[in-house]
Amino acid sequence: MEENRLTIRVMTMEDYDEVYRLWMGIHGFGIRSVDDSREGVERFLHRNPDTSMVALHGTTIVGSILCGHDGRRGCLYHVCVKEAYRKHGIGQQLVEACLQALKREQINKVNLIAFQKNEVGNRFWQKLGWTFRGDVNYYECVLNEENVTVYNP
């Protein structure tokens, strides 16, 4: 991969179709029926217009992160790089771009969820020096039963 052809930039709704295809091409990736729909992502980007990122190799999107905040804490969602483009630092560059965007918005702490079965993702976060929190419990309350997660084969 030619590193000089890599661009990291803010994600827009014009990127949605290509980002969705990227998500669908990743083995084991979970897609939420409402949150990850065009309308759900549009709502998220409207609320967080400058913090989600895409990585392009030439004109092709090869990585993406949905990133947002509530005014206090940032959160990363769907951190992914196309399998053929991994091990080139793209994920790290995407994360750093999101962290810089959150810093500009005066966000001081960032959280994410990595499923225990996601060995690749957990190794990635450990390599970047993120802190595993074993002292907290994660709870959720589902408000929309139609917002189901379907995992790619």
Side-chain angles (χ1 to χ4, degrees):
M1 183 186 84
E2 297 174 43
E3 300 296 327
N4 61 350
R5 293 193 59 210
L6 184 70
T7 305
I8 307 290
R9 68 162 169 75
V10 171
M11 181 180 173
T12 67
M13 272 313 292
E14 288 75 34
D15 299 318
Y16 177 79
D17 290 333
E18 196 170 355
V19 167
Y20 189 83
R21 282 192 299 275
L22 170 66
W23 293 344
M24 295 305 292
I26 295 178
H27 171 72
F29 196 82
I31 302 292
R32 301 215 34 102
S33 57
V34 175
D35 294 339
D36 297 327
S37 68
R38 178 179 297 281
E39 295 78 16
V41 171
E42 185 171 33
R43 194 170 43 253
F44 186 86
L45 293 180
H46 178 74
R47 182 177 176 94
N48 302 281
D50 301 317
T51 53
S52 294
M53 302 291 161
V54 292
L56 295 100
H57 184 242
T59 60
T60 303
I61 292 177
V62 297
S64 67
I65 299 179
L66 291 179
C67 173
H69 69 85
D70 60 8
R72 179 180 172 134
R73 278 243 168 102
C75 196
L76 302 182
Y77 305 91
H78 291 353
V79 178
C80 63
V81 173
K82 193 178 279 192
E83 290 186 39
Y85 288 84
R86 292 181 184 165
K87 307 288 187 195
H88 294 281
I90 296 170
Q92 186 171 351
Q93 289 179 60
L94 280 165
V95 169
E96 186 56 36
C98 289
L99 298 180
Q100 290 303 316
L102 290 169
K103 285 180 184 178
R104 285 191 294 274
E105 297 197 24
Q106 300 179 334
I107 301 302
N108 299 307
K109 190 170 186 177
V110 184
N111 296 329
L112 63 89
I113 295 171
F115 291 106
Q116 291 178 351
K117 292 181 181 181
N118 182 354
E119 294 174 14
V120 171
N122 284 296
R123 280 194 308 270
F124 174 77
W125 296 114
Q126 290 166 3
K127 180 181 171 195
L128 290 186
W130 284 56
T131 304
F132 173 78
R133 296 282 308 261
D135 62 332
V136 297
N137 293 321
Y138 176 78
Y139 296 90
E140 71 178 26
C141 174
V142 176
L143 299 176
N144 182 347
E145 296 292 335
E146 294 178 10
N147 191 27
V148 298
T149 302
V150 178
Y151 294 95
N152 294 342

